[in-house]
Amino acid sequence: MSKQTTGIHHITAFAGDPQANVDFYAGILGLRLVKKTINFDAPDVYHLYFGNEAGSPGTIITFFPSAGSPKGKIGGGQVGITTYIVPQGSLDFWENRLINFGITVKRVSRFQEDYLQFTDNEGLGLELVERNEGPNSKWAFNGIPADKAIKGFGGAVLYSVNAESTMDTLQNILGLTKVAEDGEYARFQATGEIGNIIDVPLASMDWGEGGAGTVHHIAWRANNFDDHKEWQKEVMRKGFRPTQIIDRQYFNAIYFREYGGILFEIATDPPGFAKDEPAESLGEKIMLPDWYEKHRAQIEANLIPIQVRELAGEQS
């Protein structure tokens, strides 16, 4: 039997101004900044992680924010829309909140579910959907009570330059099950409670362009380090060339690009974000891997200072 991922581990995107990025995802969406570190390949750029109170797999969106970054173009070879789930009965709360912050929202339906679609400050495509599945967040911030807070990912809409190939990869490598088709989209489901619903437009799309406001990659969950090694073998056995296993400090990672152009990562659930700082103070300090620690003063001097802060909407 082929392996099966439980769903999305994290999604990583590009952004511009770091403080504006924090303001949107922590201040407006109410996510917790669970890790403040750097791009290990470009230490003058932050790598910021936002999620639930613990930064649990299936809740984490990460950004490489760099002031002055050129805008990208959402299109084929990317995650087109990142889907978040909120508790039942809270979509009106979110619509009012987003409008209060001057954000344009649109109600759409897909597979008999109602979605609230909008974009972040860079143009990244986002949507909210109500579902019962998954535990409620325990993080309350800036006027968002825990019983209305974002739980984590509902899933994603994948924009492919070769839709048939992307759908084949979802089913025959990642082990998702095709559960529905509505004439415009096909829907696939993983085995987990969150980050488990993936929609793919049936029509292939023209290539997008990377840059601020676009997703760099989507990562899928591996249960542990042994499971991760098996995933590497499985991807290789199916004809792809995954990278070597890379230690990302808070998870191990392998990468491969599927034939629809989307960069896929498979990441381990452990060790998690409390590896190097207490759970109660996650995201408060810039955390560096050991090999960069001796350069801390220089690295911090090159980074734009950021802070998590409460924001007032336009009608407050």
Side-chain angles (χ1 to χ4, degrees), residues 151-173:
K151 297 182 182 184
F153 293 129
V157 182
L158 303 186
Y159 288 0
S160 174
V161 301
N162 186 332
E164 287 295 330
S165 291
T166 297
M167 292 187 286
D168 180 73
T169 299
L170 291 174
Q171 293 181 94
N172 295 317
I173 295 182

Side-chain angles (χ1 to χ4, degrees), residues 28-29 94-103 105 116 118:
I28 297 176
L29 295 189
W94 279 101
E95 183 171 27
N96 291 333
R97 179 177 178 83
L98 294 172
I99 291 172
N100 190 37
F101 278 99
I103 297 167
V105 298
L116 190 65
F118 57 102

Side-chain angles (χ1 to χ4, degrees), residues 21 60 217 279:
N21 183 245
I60 312 155
H217 66 265

Side-chain angles (χ1 to χ4, degrees), residues 42-58:
D44 59 337
V45 175
Y46 280 112
H47 194 179
L48 304 179
Y49 296 73
F50 302 89
N52 70 354
E53 68 280 353
S56 305

Side-chain angles (χ1 to χ4, degrees), residues 107-184:
R107 293 253 186 173
V108 302
S109 294
R110 196 168 67 247
F111 295 107
Q112 291 77 55
E113 290 186 302
D114 293 326
Y115 292 82
L116 190 65
Q117 291 187 340
F118 57 102
T119 62
D120 76 359
N121 57 301
E122 303 282 1
L124 192 76
L126 302 169
E127 64 184 9
L128 301 175
V129 63
E130 296 178 349
R131 288 182 191 150
N132 286 320
E133 293 80 9
N136 281 1
S137 174
K138 298 176 183 177
W139 190 251
F141 182 70
N142 197 29
I144 304 171
D147 65 353
K148 290 183 171 59
I150 289 171
K151 297 182 182 184
F153 293 129
V157 182
L158 303 186
Y159 288 0
S160 174
V161 301
N162 186 332
E164 287 295 330
S165 291
T166 297
M167 292 187 286
D168 180 73
T169 299
L170 291 174
Q171 293 181 94
N172 295 317
I173 295 182
L174 296 176
L176 276 67
T177 300
K178 185 176 180 179
V179 294
E181 190 172 312
D182 71 353
E184 185 177 356

Side-chain angles (χ1 to χ4, degrees), residues 201-306:
L202 297 174
S204 299
M205 297 189 175
D206 292 335
W207 283 99
E209 299 174 7
T214 66
V215 168
H216 181 259
H217 66 265
I218 182 171
W220 309 95
R221 294 175 66 177
N223 298 329
N224 52 49
F225 298 122
D226 289 338
D227 185 45
H228 196 236
K229 293 174 184 176
E230 291 301 316
W231 272 111
Q232 186 188 42
K233 293 176 184 177
E234 176 77 357
V235 171
M236 195 176 302
R237 187 174 70 82
K238 292 295 178 65
F240 289 92
R241 294 184 177 180
T243 63
Q244 64 182 2
I245 293 174
I246 302 171
D247 182 356
R248 294 301 192 196
Q249 297 294 304
Y250 312 109
F251 49 85
N252 282 359
I254 61 170
Y255 302 84
F256 69 100
R257 194 174 296 277
E258 55 84 37
Y259 296 131
I262 306 166
L263 182 60
F264 280 1
E265 175 184 345
I266 299 177
T268 57
D269 281 3
F273 294 101
K275 171 186 176 181
D276 55 1
E277 58 183 331
E280 62 270 16
S281 58
L282 289 175
E284 294 180 6
K285 176 185 175 184
I286 297 174
M287 305 306 298
L288 300 176
D290 292 342
W291 62 90
Y292 276 131
E293 194 59 53
K294 63 184 177 182
H295 303 297
R296 174 175 288 275
Q298 180 182 351
I299 288 171
E300 291 188 350
N302 287 334
L303 294 170
I304 298 170
I306 58 175

